[in-house]
Amino acid sequence: MKNPYHIIKSQYVTEKSRVLEDLKNRENNPSIARCKSPKYVFLVDPSANKHEIKDAMREIFKDQNVTVKSVNTINVKK
């Protein structure tokens, strides 16, 4: 297994990623009130698959008892 810190590079902080994190605190909009868990955005190794990303997140945050429900990926040109 790869080092989890080589798979997960850093958290990606933008205005939109902050909105995704705060979805669980929004009760005024019924369409987003269904999102009970926050979503986080990370920069990851492009060669990593979803299973490796999920395992790396579990390993990095094992002390905080984090559960990874799903992993969505997107490739973006720089």
Side-chain angles (χ1 to χ4, degrees):
M1 180 177 163
K2 296 179 185 177
N3 182 349
Y5 292 99
H6 289 152
I7 295 174
I8 308 296
K9 303 290 185 186
S10 64
Q11 187 170 9
Y12 191 64
V13 180
T14 62
E15 186 175 349
K16 187 171 184 176
S17 69
R18 298 297 291 176
V19 168
L20 290 172
E21 288 178 27
D22 292 333
L23 285 178
K24 70 176 181 176
N25 298 326
R26 307 293 174 152
E27 287 113 19
N28 58 351
N29 188 337
S31 64
I32 60 175
R34 293 179 290 170
C35 298
K36 297 297 181 194
S37 60
K39 295 168 182 14
Y40 297 96
V41 181
F42 292 92
L43 295 176
V44 300
D45 181 19
S47 65
N49 61 36
K50 290 183 179 186
H51 297 291
E52 291 173 335
I53 295 169
K54 189 174 186 176
D55 292 340
M57 291 302 293
R58 282 188 192 146
E59 182 66 28
I60 291 171
F61 294 105
K62 67 181 175 187
D63 295 339
Q64 298 173 2
N65 201 17
V66 171
T67 302
V68 179
K69 290 186 178 182
S70 67
V71 175
N72 298 330
T73 61
I74 184 170
N75 292 320
V76 179
K77 289 185 179 180
K78 291 186 178 185

